Amino acid sequence: MPPNTAGRPSIPPVECTVCGKPFSRKNELGRHRRNVHAQATVKYSCTMPRCSSQYGRPDNLLKHMR
């Protein structure tokens, strides 16, 4: 057993019912559903010339801009 998981109970992953992607936490699954499978009303668009990238979360846009 890896040292960082020693003594901790094994947490079964939760899976997205739409695409089957596994998550270790329910809150991560909820965020995935909102941002990937729901029709997001807010899109964050890149303002760089000739770039049409859009993101559902502002932190992902910031990562893209770096």
Side-chain angles (χ1 to χ4, degrees), residues 16-44:
C16 176
T17 56
V18 177
C19 66
K21 185 173 182 178
F23 296 90
S24 58
R25 296 185 177 119
K26 286 183 181 180
N27 66 325
E28 292 171 347
L29 173 60
R31 182 172 66 184
H32 166 78
R33 285 182 185 159
R34 284 190 308 273
N35 292 312
V36 174
H37 299 300
Q39 295 296 327
T41 56
V42 177
K43 292 284 186 181
Y44 298 91

Side-chain angles (χ1 to χ4, degrees), residues 40-60:
T41 56
V42 177
K43 292 284 186 181
Y44 298 91
S45 300
C46 180
T47 56
M48 297 178 76
R50 294 180 292 211
C51 184
S52 59
S53 296
Q54 292 185 328
Y55 300 91
R57 293 180 19 208
D59 58 319
N60 289 335

